[in-house]
Amino acid sequence: MVNTEVYISGLMLENPIIPASGTFGYGREFAELYDINILGSIALKGTTMKRRYGNEGPRIAECERGMLNSIGLQNPGVDAVTDEEIPALSEVFTKKVIANVCGFSIEEYALCAEKISRSDKVGIIEVNISCPNVSGGGMAFGTSPEAAGEVTKAVKAVSKKPVYMKLSPNVTDIAAIAKACEKAGADGLSLINTLAGMRVDIKKRKPVLTNKSGGLSGPAIFPIALKMVHDTAKAVNIPVMGIGGISRASEVLEMIMAGAHAVQIGTANLIDPWVCRKIIEELPALMERSGIDDLDGIRGAAWKKQ
Amino acid sequence: MVNTEVYISGLMLENPIIPASGTFGYGREFAELYDINILGSIALKGTTMKRRYGNEGPRIAECERGMLNSIGLQNPGVDAVTDEEIPALSEVFTKKVIANVCGFSIEEYALCAEKISRSDKVGIIEVNISCPNVSGGGMAFGTSPEAAGEVTKAVKAVSKKPVYMKLSPNVTDIAAIAKACEKAGADGLSLINTLAGMRVDIKKRKPVLTNKSGGLSGPAIFPIALKMVHDTAKAVNIPVMGIGGISRASEVLEMIMAGAHAVQIGTANLIDPWVCRKIIEELPALMERSGIDDLDGIRGAAWKKQ
Amino acid sequence: MKQQDYEVIENRLIAKNTYEMKLMGNTGEIKRPGQFINLEVKGFFLKRPFSICYRTREYICIVYKIAGGGTEAMSSMAVGEKLSVLCPLGNGYDMEDCCSLLLRKSSSLLIAGGGTGTAPLYGLAKEMLKKGIKPKVILGFGSKDEVFYEENFRDIASDVTVVTEDGSLGEKGLVTDIMSGDEYVFACGPTSMLKAVWEKSAGGQFGFESRMGCGFGACMGCSCKTTGGSKRICREGPILKREEILW
Amino acid sequence: MKQQDYEVIENRLIAKNTYEMKLMGNTGEIKRPGQFINLEVKGFFLKRPFSICYRTREYICIVYKIAGGGTEAMSSMAVGEKLSVLCPLGNGYDMEDCCSLLLRKSSSLLIAGGGTGTAPLYGLAKEMLKKGIKPKVILGFGSKDEVFYEENFRDIASDVTVVTEDGSLGEKGLVTDIMSGDEYVFACGPTSMLKAVWEKSAGGQFGFESRMGCGFGACMGCSCKTTGGSKRICREGPILKREEILW
Ligand SMILES: Cc1cc2nc3c(=O)[nH]c(=O)nc-3n(C[C@H](O)[C@H](O)[C@H](O)COP(=O)(O)OP(=O)(O)OC[C@H]3O[C@@H](n4cnc5c(N)ncnc54)[C@H](O)[C@@H]3O)c2cc1C
Ligand SMILES: Cc1cc2nc3c(=O)[nH]c(=O)nc-3n(C[C@H](O)[C@H](O)[C@H](O)COP(=O)(O)OP(=O)(O)OC[C@H]3O[C@@H](n4cnc5c(N)ncnc54)[C@H](O)[C@@H]3O)c2cc1C
Ligand SMILES: Cc1cc2nc3c(=O)[nH]c(=O)nc-3n(C[C@H](O)[C@H](O)[C@H](O)COP(=O)(O)O)c2cc1C
Ligand SMILES: Cc1cc2nc3c(=O)[nH]c(=O)nc-3n(C[C@H](O)[C@H](O)[C@H](O)COP(=O)(O)O)c2cc1C
Ligand code: FES
Ligand code: FES
């Protein structure tokens, strides 16, 4: 029997499979489809202080093996999330969740994280400093080591839970930003968020998305995500959640060999709502076939001296 | 009758279709397949002062709708290119070509560009400051505005032909680097080169590529390339060649609407050796169906006020 | 909602660039006319949403128009091909909602379709017939060669009017040109038509389209603003009540 | 080189994880045994290279082993499926090259195959037979259940030896165990086997594999270093002469 357990910052996950923020709502839609208790954990939709509608539509565009989204952080606001969404989720999901927060100022990040971290249900706070779809917030904090460090410090100062900084791939040196977060006290890192992208409607001669550009996600970005997870995991001593383009058990193992502690599955949930269950079912068999007893044994194998 | 002509830095191209550097060799293999004189121009394989074998193999890895390469600038050296390859190509291709140069120091860039720019066959010098597959060269010069500006200046000082700087997408702000090149005298810009990426062989528990990482190209990267071309074309007043993931006539129009003057087709040539011919054949019909008389009329339509 | 393989048992051109496709498979969970399916087209990343035109015990019928690469590929699918489909999705038309109004003034019940928006209304009309409800039907198309299902509607409804924008069939004009303005309308069609119908109607339910990431409520890609806050077209829609709609 | 659609006319398991596939289509341009094709597998980006095992006027035969996703997908391809194929690629075995050696000492001509590397050597042996050349044949496999084409070879060659690493069929051991060391060898197989054969041979031609981007010389993905500078396995290869090879 292989062991799929992974330990991250106080949470012992039954398996490393976590649906990614923004692609699993607050779990409700998926709980209708399968028993979501099989999941390692769930990363909740990005939450801001106030309720947000997000950007005007169209906010989805199709790409080759991927998609652009420019949702712009639609969410009911932190109070509704803590008072309604999390309690509702608790009825169908018994494990701890990862709360994802975003803000338009360092203060908002801290306020939002503090509030949501009070929930018993929340095991980890994931701080999105990498949303490419809102101006004046999100990614603005994730593209310089200094700003990333400042957000980290502010959130760490108030959060009652371990803090993971969610990093943007739209940078020259992701490892440098990762190190700044680590230095500022981050307990872990989540990466990658989406890559800035665009499609043009040649009939209308303007961008498909009303927001003009959006974030690219899905299988197309997997090799980019894997390289960034590799570079980051090598550079820091805190856990890394590998995110980006994963849709198969073999890609979970690639991510862990690149140095990830656990993984998050995003867009794949939209294409196949049962994909996380499939991966969780396939993983042990694949591990067995590959001679892997437990995931700790292969973490970083792609770069660690054997 | 629609007009597919585009003018870039002294060259009037019959159409905007140019095979990208490194995916068309020195044209010879394709000249066996079709009359390559239908092409707008050809961007030659990256050339360095000295002959290079490149990186150890495997140096190709498959990805979803894309591939990684870690060739590492295999080329016969500038003398062989000017004395043998260019004359040989001249026998089957009557138009001017774009010579692509790379170096490991600013001096080498300048020397190489100076030499190759003496060839009458060369219409434009494309300076690759974005190769992710060589250490100490290539991308090192393309990730900071200062270094990019310095290479530009050095090459401009000696080149007898217009100079296009080929930019890396592995940066936080490509428009800033573009502006630095423009300020340093660049006549135009080519973008994007490949995105840094990786795949791990889970059986061997190590990267598929001997070089560990490689450059991601192909349809997967098109939305990223389009966004960068859009951002860059908006920011500068020199022509931009749109490169990255193009494999269809409609994507050529997307690129031009994003602001490109001409486009380069890379990886698609490897997957379908006749793809440039197909695109050249399809383009006029697509333009007609879309009510486009000439390409100058739609350039930048995605962001220009109408 | 289930994900299942459906088999193409018919796929034929019924009007200009417009096809009728019958998909054999489970239809038991479909609750209401106006619900839709999300259909995987090989080689395309996102599934394509199509209204269920009508369903029988054995198959689902959809009517689609070539709009881009995905529908283009669908048009050359052969009988026997298997397609992965998410079904059923969305809320569908609520036939109860109009009952009170209906009881008062049954003559003012209208089905108003525009272009391919006509498709789900055919299934709705069939269901209404079963319940003994007899709505007026107005179908609007661009021109004669785009018209489809006219006969199908005439077979089940007594009062069917077809209008075309260029007058090549039926009266020349728009659906709204022959609305009286006091109707409760079941509408589906292009946004501009929906808006015009909305303005001229007393009440009703309107079928919307939106670019979708998932089709089942997970991504917020399809959201729109309504009087009751933001709603997901794929889940709280695609059918919105007249009073919910914000333009 | 042409790109054409070939039709699968046979696709059957002939040994453990090993399939023989016959592809109907143009075979007229194939010049030499040892050339290869590059075959598009739907859903995978890069084409997959396979040696031509042999060809007739109507079809090409390839033998492939499941190695990953692409070959896995191939194994379930049905008769009638159309595949886009680049053909022919590479140089192939040069049967003239050995002639001088052959005239002096014909007994020392050897065909040495390992695993699926055996496939192109079967086509080579057939061609040699046509020319009246009768090489010795040694085929090496891991174990009995991986052996294929033994009978095919016996039908056309008089001196065929099969060895297996575990001794489950024929002699236990490696191809090199029963080489005398003075042979001119036509070899194909895994790198470790090629190297061993190279060391023990007097001359010969060796078939190599390499990850390929294009298969026709455009990308430099497949390059390897040789005594004559760098060569592209897809163009100046996949067959290299003994004296060119650098390990
Ligand atoms: C609830 C719903 C029901 C629909 N019912 C029908 C129907 O019964 N008959 C019919 O012909 N069409 C219907 N449509 C529109 C249909 O989904 C699009 O025409 C189709 O997706 C276009 O795909 P494509 O690949 O041909 O076009 P492309 O433009 O190449 O598609 C690119 C992307 O945009 C999306 N897209 C493009 N146009 C639309 C659109 N109008 N609405 C939503 N997404 C779009 C596609 O799904 C895809 O993700 C419906 C749409 C929705 C949301
Ligand atoms: C000239 C040549 C002739 C060949 N002839 C045969 C043959 O006759 N029979 C046979 O069974 N195999 C042959 N191979 C190997 C065959 O190409 C690979 O086994 C096959 O590409 C694996 O594809 P996959 O999708 O199953 O594996 P994956 O590992 O999933 O493939 C991923 C990528 O790596 C490449 N790749 C993987 N293994 C190899 C390999 N060994 N050599 C080259 N590329 C590889 C694939 O082409 C693909 O691009 C030959 C290879 C070359 C270069
Ligand atoms: C529709 C959509 C909405 C998303 N919303 C959020 C969000 O609210 N917060 C966040 O941190 N990331 C968000 N993301 C990013 C994903 O969590 C993930 O980092 C990214 O999509 C890459 O993973 P993937 O390729 O598996 O989707 C969103 C992604 C998508 C596609
Ligand atoms: C095999 C290969 C070799 C390449 N070699 C070079 C090179 O020598 N110089 C260069 O500037 N770009 C090189 N490139 C980058 C391409 O020119 C192009 O910028 C990139 O591949 C993106 O375009 P595409 O997606 O159309 O391939 C190479 C790309 C590939 C795939
Ligand atoms: S399409 Fe994803 S929520 Fe509606
Ligand atoms: S595979 Fe491209 S040059 Fe050989």
Side-chain angles (χ1 to χ4, degrees):
Chain A
M1 268 296 289
V2 302
N3 180 3
T4 60
E5 278 177 3
V6 296
Y7 177 83
I8 46 164
S9 307
L11 301 186
M12 180 57 93
L13 309 181
E14 203 176 316
N15 61 60
I17 310 302
I18 304 168
S21 181
T23 61
F24 211 75
Y26 296 97
R28 207 179 302 184
E29 292 74 18
F30 292 85
E32 293 171 13
L33 305 180
Y34 62 90
D35 179 4
I36 59 175
N37 281 305
I38 60 168
L39 298 167
S41 179
I42 296 174
L44 304 182
K45 173 71 192 160
T47 300
T48 50
M49 280 305 284
K50 293 204 201 104
R51 162 191 297 274
R52 282 178 58 85
Y53 168 69
N55 295 313
E56 286 306 316
R59 46 194 199 180
I60 299 285
E62 155 138 330
C63 303
E64 301 253 1
R65 298 295 286 147
M67 60 180 270
L68 294 176
N69 88 78
S70 58
I71 310 296
L73 291 173
Q74 179 176 348
N75 80 93
V78 68
D79 290 335
V81 171
T82 49
D83 301 349
E84 293 157 37
E85 298 293 351
I86 293 181
L89 177 58
S90 299
E91 291 181 15
V92 288
F93 187 65
T94 59
K95 304 177 182 173
K96 300 268 183 188
V97 300
I98 299 169
N100 180 292
V101 298
C102 197
F104 293 81
S105 65
I106 292 185
E107 295 69 44
E108 187 181 347
Y109 271 108
L111 272 171
C112 194
E114 196 274 332
K115 265 204 164 163
I116 214 163
S117 75
R118 276 188 251 149
S119 163
D120 284 345
K121 189 73 182 168
V122 172
I124 287 176
I125 301 283
E126 184 174 72
V127 184
N128 178 359
I129 50 168
S130 44
C131 180
N133 294 322
V134 295
S135 58
M139 212 171 86
F141 297 100
T143 50
S144 92
E146 295 72 32
E150 276 178 49
V151 178
T152 310
K153 259 196 211 113
V155 173
K156 268 306 280 183
V158 298
S159 172
K160 290 156 182 61
K161 300 290 160 59
V163 172
Y164 278 50
M165 302 305 289
K166 185 159 174 183
L167 305 185
S168 169
N170 302 295
V171 297
T172 309
D173 185 357
I174 197 168
I177 294 172
K179 279 194 274 190
C181 294
E182 181 182 34
K183 212 173 141 212
D187 300 286
L189 301 162
S190 295
L191 58 129
I192 57 174
N193 207 315
T194 54
L195 282 132
M198 180 182 273
R199 290 305 302 265
V200 170
D201 183 329
I202 60 168
K203 287 181 210 153
K204 301 194 180 139
R205 304 185 188 181
K206 56 180 198 156
V208 171
L209 302 172
T210 304
N211 190 48
K212 290 195 173 155
S213 67
L216 182 66
S217 62
I221 70 168
F222 178 73
I224 302 171
L226 192 67
K227 163 84 160 80
M228 291 194 165
V229 167
H230 171 272
D231 292 358
T232 303
K234 269 180 82 167
V236 300
N237 292 304
I238 48 179
V240 170
M241 304 239 213
I243 318 172
I246 302 171
S247 63
R248 298 191 186 100
S250 61
E251 289 158 354
V252 172
L253 295 184
E254 283 191 61
M255 274 288 184
I256 294 176
M257 289 180 187
H261 268 71
V263 301
Q264 295 184 12
I265 317 282
T267 302
N269 289 300
L270 310 180
I271 303 306
D272 174 1
W274 292 269
V275 71
C276 285
R277 186 174 71 181
K278 279 185 203 162
I279 294 177
I280 290 168
E281 283 167 4
E282 281 168 22
L283 190 62
L286 179 62
M287 286 170 65
E288 212 150 313
R289 275 206 308 284
S290 314
I292 298 167
D293 297 329
D294 60 65
L295 298 171
D296 296 338
I298 58 160
R299 184 165 300 115
W303 49 271
K304 280 186 183 149
K305 296 266 177 307
Q306 258 114 19
Chain B
M1 267 296 291
V2 302
N3 180 2
T4 60
E5 277 178 2
V6 297
Y7 177 83
I8 47 164
S9 307
L11 300 186
M12 180 57 92
L13 308 182
E14 200 176 317
N15 60 60
I17 311 302
I18 304 168
S21 181
T23 62
F24 212 75
Y26 296 97
R28 206 179 304 185
E29 292 73 19
F30 293 85
E32 293 171 14
L33 304 179
Y34 64 90
D35 179 5
I36 59 176
N37 281 305
I38 59 169
L39 298 166
S41 179
I42 298 174
L44 305 182
K45 173 70 191 161
T47 301
T48 49
M49 280 304 284
K50 291 204 201 104
R51 161 190 298 274
R52 282 177 59 85
Y53 168 68
N55 295 314
E56 285 307 316
R59 46 195 201 180
I60 299 285
E62 155 137 333
C63 303
E64 301 253 358
R65 298 296 286 149
M67 61 179 269
L68 294 175
N69 88 78
S70 58
I71 310 295
L73 292 174
Q74 179 175 347
N75 80 92
V78 68
D79 290 333
V81 170
T82 49
D83 300 349
E84 293 157 34
E85 298 293 353
I86 294 182
L89 176 57
S90 299
E91 291 183 12
V92 287
F93 188 65
T94 59
K95 304 174 181 173
K96 300 267 184 189
V97 300
I98 298 169
N100 180 292
V101 297
C102 196
F104 294 81
S105 66
I106 293 186
E107 295 70 43
E108 188 181 347
Y109 272 108
L111 269 172
C112 194
E114 197 273 332
K115 267 204 161 165
I116 214 163
S117 75
R118 276 187 251 150
S119 164
D120 285 345
K121 189 74 180 166
V122 172
I124 287 175
I125 300 284
E126 184 173 73
V127 185
N128 177 0
I129 50 169
S130 45
C131 181
N133 294 321
V134 294
S135 58
M139 212 172 88
F141 296 100
T143 50
S144 94
E146 295 73 32
E150 275 178 51
V151 178
T152 310
K153 259 196 211 116
V155 172
K156 267 306 281 182
V158 298
S159 172
K160 291 155 181 62
K161 300 290 160 59
V163 172
Y164 277 52
M165 301 305 289
K166 183 156 176 185
L167 305 185
S168 171
N170 302 295
V171 297
T172 309
D173 185 356
I174 198 166
I177 294 172
K179 279 195 272 191
C181 293
E182 181 182 34
K183 212 174 140 211
D187 298 286
L189 301 161
S190 295
L191 57 133
I192 58 175
N193 207 316
T194 54
L195 282 132
M198 182 183 269
R199 291 303 304 266
V200 170
D201 182 329
I202 61 168
K203 287 180 210 153
K204 299 192 180 144
R205 304 185 188 180
K206 57 178 196 161
V208 170
L209 301 173
T210 305
N211 190 48
K212 289 192 174 155
S213 68
L216 182 66
S217 62
I221 70 168
F222 178 73
I224 302 171
L226 193 68
K227 163 85 159 80
M228 292 193 166
V229 166
H230 170 273
D231 293 358
T232 303
K234 269 180 81 166
V236 298
N237 292 306
I238 48 177
V240 170
M241 303 239 212
I243 318 172
I246 303 172
S247 63
R248 298 191 187 100
S250 62
E251 290 157 353
V252 172
L253 294 184
E254 284 191 58
M255 274 287 182
I256 293 177
M257 288 179 186
H261 268 70
V263 300
Q264 294 184 12
I265 317 281
T267 302
N269 290 301
L270 310 180
I271 304 306
D272 174 0
W274 292 269
V275 72
C276 285
R277 186 175 70 182
K278 280 186 202 161
I279 294 177
I280 290 169
E281 284 166 3
E282 281 169 21
L283 190 62
L286 179 62
M287 286 171 65
E288 211 150 314
R289 277 206 307 284
S290 313
I292 299 167
D293 295 329
D294 61 65
L295 298 172
D296 296 338
I298 58 161
R299 183 164 303 115
W303 49 271
K304 281 188 184 146
K305 298 264 180 304
Q306 257 115 17
Chain C
M1 178 184 86
K2 288 212 169 122
Q3 178 150 33
Q4 274 173 298
D5 277 355
Y6 285 69
E7 188 181 325
V8 178
I9 56 171
E10 209 175 296
N11 188 24
R12 62 188 187 99
L13 189 74
I14 57 170
K16 188 178 167 193
N17 291 329
T18 309
Y19 294 76
E20 181 189 60
M21 182 184 269
K22 291 180 181 159
L23 291 164
M24 193 171 68
N26 178 22
T27 67
E29 291 181 43
I30 299 168
K31 293 280 170 301
R32 285 177 172 183
Q35 287 189 293
F36 67 100
I37 63 171
N38 216 358
L39 181 154
E40 182 182 321
V41 185
K42 286 259 154 61
F44 295 88
F45 189 63
L46 300 172
K47 294 195 175 70
R48 291 345 196 208
F50 297 97
S51 299
I52 297 167
C53 172
Y54 67 92
R55 53 99 177 229
T56 69
R57 215 169 279 176
E58 286 79 33
Y59 66 85
I60 295 168
C61 177
I62 62 172
V63 172
Y64 64 93
K65 191 160 184 166
I66 294 184
T71 42
E72 174 87 46
M74 283 168 66
S75 70
S76 58
M77 282 177 180
V79 166
E81 257 184 74
K82 298 267 195 319
L83 302 181
S84 174
V85 173
L86 282 180
C87 170
L89 302 170
N91 55 1
Y93 290 102
D94 177 358
M95 279 178 283
E96 311 299 305
D97 184 66
C98 59
C99 277
S100 56
L101 187 76
L102 198 75
L103 288 173
R104 278 186 280 124
K105 206 173 158 200
S106 81
S107 68
S108 68
L109 196 64
L110 176 67
I111 282 182
T116 51
T118 296
L121 298 174
Y122 177 66
L124 174 68
K126 282 181 99 166
E127 293 293 322
M128 285 185 156
L129 195 73
K130 277 194 211 156
K131 292 193 200 297
I133 313 172
K134 291 187 180 142
K136 228 175 91 171
V137 175
I138 312 179
L139 308 176
F141 293 92
S143 92
K144 188 181 168 179
D145 54 1
E146 292 168 15
V147 177
F148 66 89
Y149 270 30
E150 184 184 357
E151 286 316 305
N152 298 27
F153 272 100
R154 293 205 191 280
D155 287 348
I156 59 171
S158 53
D159 187 351
V160 178
T161 312
V162 171
V163 299
T164 53
E165 282 173 54
D166 65 0
S168 52
L169 190 91
E171 264 175 75
K172 175 169 169 155
L174 303 170
V175 167
T176 41
D177 291 345
I178 46 176
M179 279 176 66
S180 60
D182 66 345
E183 294 100 336
Y184 182 102
V185 191
F186 291 94
C188 191
T191 312
S192 57
M193 174 245 181
L194 292 181
K195 184 149 191 251
V197 170
W198 181 87
E199 277 162 3
K200 210 173 176 180
S201 57
Q205 300 174 37
F206 295 75
F208 284 84
E209 292 184 359
S210 176
R211 303 252 166 172
M212 293 189 172
C214 64
F216 56 90
C219 74
M220 305 289 149
C222 63
S223 296
C224 72
K225 286 177 186 152
T226 73
T227 54
S230 77
K231 302 232 160 146
R232 292 163 297 182
I233 293 294
C234 72
R235 201 150 169 121
E236 288 87 40
I239 315 299
L240 297 180
K241 304 245 160 90
R242 188 177 187 283
E243 55 278 15
E244 294 178 300
I245 298 167
L246 286 173
W247 295 103
Chain D
M1 176 183 88
K2 291 212 168 119
Q3 179 150 35
Q4 274 173 297
D5 277 355
Y6 285 68
E7 187 181 326
V8 178
I9 54 172
E10 208 176 297
N11 188 21
R12 62 189 189 95
L13 190 73
I14 56 169
K16 188 177 167 193
N17 290 329
T18 309
Y19 294 76
E20 181 189 64
M21 181 184 269
K22 291 180 182 162
L23 292 164
M24 193 169 68
N26 176 21
T27 65
E29 291 182 44
I30 299 167
K31 293 278 168 301
R32 285 177 174 183
Q35 286 189 295
F36 67 101
I37 63 172
N38 215 359
L39 181 154
E40 183 182 321
V41 185
K42 286 257 154 59
F44 294 88
F45 189 62
L46 299 173
K47 293 195 176 71
R48 290 344 196 212
F50 297 97
S51 299
I52 296 166
C53 173
Y54 67 91
R55 52 105 175 223
T56 69
R57 216 169 278 178
E58 287 78 34
Y59 66 85
I60 295 169
C61 176
I62 62 171
V63 172
Y64 64 92
K65 192 160 184 165
I66 294 184
T71 43
E72 176 88 45
M74 284 169 65
S75 71
S76 58
M77 282 177 181
V79 166
E81 258 184 72
K82 298 267 194 316
L83 302 180
S84 174
V85 172
L86 282 179
C87 170
L89 302 170
N91 55 359
Y93 290 101
D94 177 358
M95 280 180 281
E96 310 299 305
D97 184 67
C98 60
C99 278
S100 58
L101 188 75
L102 198 78
L103 288 172
R104 277 186 280 126
K105 209 171 154 198
S106 77
S107 67
S108 68
L109 197 64
L110 175 69
I111 282 182
T116 51
T118 296
L121 298 174
Y122 177 64
L124 175 69
K126 281 180 100 164
E127 293 294 321
M128 285 186 157
L129 195 73
K130 276 195 212 159
K131 292 194 200 293
I133 313 173
K134 290 180 179 148
K136 230 175 93 171
V137 176
I138 311 178
L139 309 175
F141 294 92
S143 91
K144 188 181 168 176
D145 54 1
E146 293 168 14
V147 177
F148 65 90
Y149 270 31
E150 185 185 355
E151 286 316 305
N152 297 27
F153 273 100
R154 290 200 194 285
D155 286 349
I156 59 169
S158 54
D159 187 353
V160 178
T161 312
V162 171
V163 299
T164 54
E165 281 175 55
D166 65 0
S168 52
L169 189 89
E171 264 175 75
K172 175 170 172 155
L174 304 169
V175 166
T176 40
D177 291 345
I178 46 173
M179 279 176 65
S180 60
D182 65 347
E183 294 100 336
Y184 184 103
V185 191
F186 291 94
C188 191
T191 312
S192 57
M193 175 246 183
L194 292 181
K195 184 149 190 252
V197 170
W198 181 85
E199 276 164 2
K200 211 175 174 180
S201 58
Q205 300 175 38
F206 296 75
F208 284 84
E209 292 185 358
S210 176
R211 303 252 167 173
M212 293 188 173
C214 64
F216 57 90
C219 73
M220 305 289 147
C222 63
S223 297
C224 73
K225 286 178 189 154
T226 73
T227 54
S230 77
K231 302 230 158 148
R232 293 164 297 182
I233 292 296
C234 73
R235 200 146 167 125
E236 288 85 39
I239 314 299
L240 298 180
K241 304 244 161 93
R242 187 175 188 282
E243 56 277 16
E244 293 179 300
I245 299 166
L246 285 174
W247 295 102

